[in-house]
C-alpha cells in the first residue's frame, strides 16, 4: 500500500469562529477539513471566560508549505485574540492527489 | 513507564457507513474502535454532495500489519465509492496486549 | 514559524469519569484539556459492558515528564478498573509557554 506523508493541522478554538476560520483554511490551500464539537478548560487565550464553554476542533491534512501558512495565519490573527490551541503532526495518507 | 509503538488508523467517512465499516475493521483484526460525529467540507469523493453533511470519524489502534490490511480494504472498497479520508500515525501505548 | 515539540496524550474512557480524570490531569501539571463525546466497542477493560456506551475522549498537550506522570497515573488508577485506552504522540506546537 503506497502511502505519502502530509501534515495534519489541528486547531481547537471558540465555537463561533468555525465559519470564518474554515473559509480561511480553504483559501490558504487546504482541500477540505473535518470539524467537531468539543469542550475544555484552560489553555487560556485572550477571552478565558469563553474558553470554558463550547469549542470546535478543526482538522485538515495539507502539504507542509500550506501547514506553515495556516500556522502563520493562526499565530497572526487568532492566538493574540482568541482562546486557541494549534498543533501539527505528520500523517501517512493514501491518494496524495486528494490533498494537494 | 514501558510503552510500545502501534499504528493509529483514522477514517473519516459518511455517517451511514459506520456499522458496516466498524464490523469490517474488527473482522480485519482490530480489537476495538472509537467513533464520533463530525462534519466537514471538501476532500470530495464519489458522492460529493453527501460529504458536506454528517460524517463519522473512526479511530482504531492496531499492529502495523493490520493497519495495512485496513488501508488496503479502504482503498479497495471505500475510496472509489464514498467520500473518505484515511490516515495513519504512530502512537505510543501502554499494555500492548490490549491491541494485538 | 518557530514550533516546539510537546507530547499529546489522548485518553478514551468511561463518560462518567471525565470530571475526576480532568481534575487529576490538571493537578499533575497539564495546563488545559479538550474533551468530546465518543462511542465505541472493544478494548475491553474491567467493565466491558459499560464500554459499549457513551465514552469520553480527552486530549491534553504537555511536556514529556508530565505525559509520563499522566501515563503512570492512568496505569495505576484506571487501567485495572475501567475500560480505558491511552496513547501518546509527539506534536509540534506554537507558543510553548502555553503548555508548560
Amino acid at each position: 500500500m503506497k502511502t505519502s506523508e502530509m501534515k495534519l493541522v489541528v486547531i481547537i478554538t471558540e465555537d463561533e469562529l468555525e465559519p470564518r476560520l474554515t473559509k480561511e483554511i480553504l483559501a490558504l490551500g487546504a482541500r477540505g477539513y473535518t470539524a467537531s464539537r468539543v469542550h475544555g478548560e484552560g489553555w487560556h487565550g485572550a477571552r478565558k471566560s469563553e474558553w470554558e464553554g463550547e469549542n470546535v476542533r478543526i482538522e485538515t491534512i495539507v502539504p507542509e508549505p500550506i501547514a506553515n501558512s495556516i500556522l502563520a495565519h493562526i499565530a497572526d490573527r487568532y492566538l493574540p485574540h482568541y482562546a486557541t490551541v494549534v498543533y501539527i503532526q505528520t500523517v501517512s495518507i493514501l491518494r496524495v492527489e486528494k490533498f494537494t
Side-chain angles (χ1 to χ4, degrees), chain A:
Chain A
M1 206 79 271
K2 193 193 163 308
T3 60
S4 310
E5 295 213 331
M6 299 281 277
K7 294 296 174 184
L8 172 72
V9 183
V10 177
I11 304 158
I12 300 160
T13 193
E14 300 169 19
D15 209 20
E16 71 270 24
L17 298 172
E18 182 184 338
R20 168 182 151 190
L21 180 53
T22 53
K23 202 174 153 188
E24 291 164 349
I25 287 170
L26 296 174
L28 288 168
R31 297 284 303 277
Y33 67 86
T34 299
S36 59
R37 297 276 88 70
V38 297
H39 57 280
E41 205 180 321
W43 288 329
H44 309 309
R47 299 195 295 165
K48 171 187 185 306
S49 62
E50 300 207 10
W51 179 247
E52 303 184 18
E54 281 300 299
N55 298 118
V56 64
R57 182 186 190 277
I58 297 166
E59 59 176 58
T60 185
I61 296 170
V62 291
E64 188 160 12
I66 294 177
N68 288 335
S69 302
I70 294 173
L71 223 52
H73 181 77
I74 301 279
D76 186 37
R77 308 287 178 86
Y78 288 83
L79 289 182
H81 308 296
Y82 306 104
T84 303
V85 168
V86 58
Y87 59 85
I88 295 198
Q89 292 176 290
T90 300
V91 295
S92 299
I93 51 131
L94 292 177
R95 304 227 178 158
V96 68
E97 67 280 6
K98 245 186 159 158
F99 303 97
T100 54

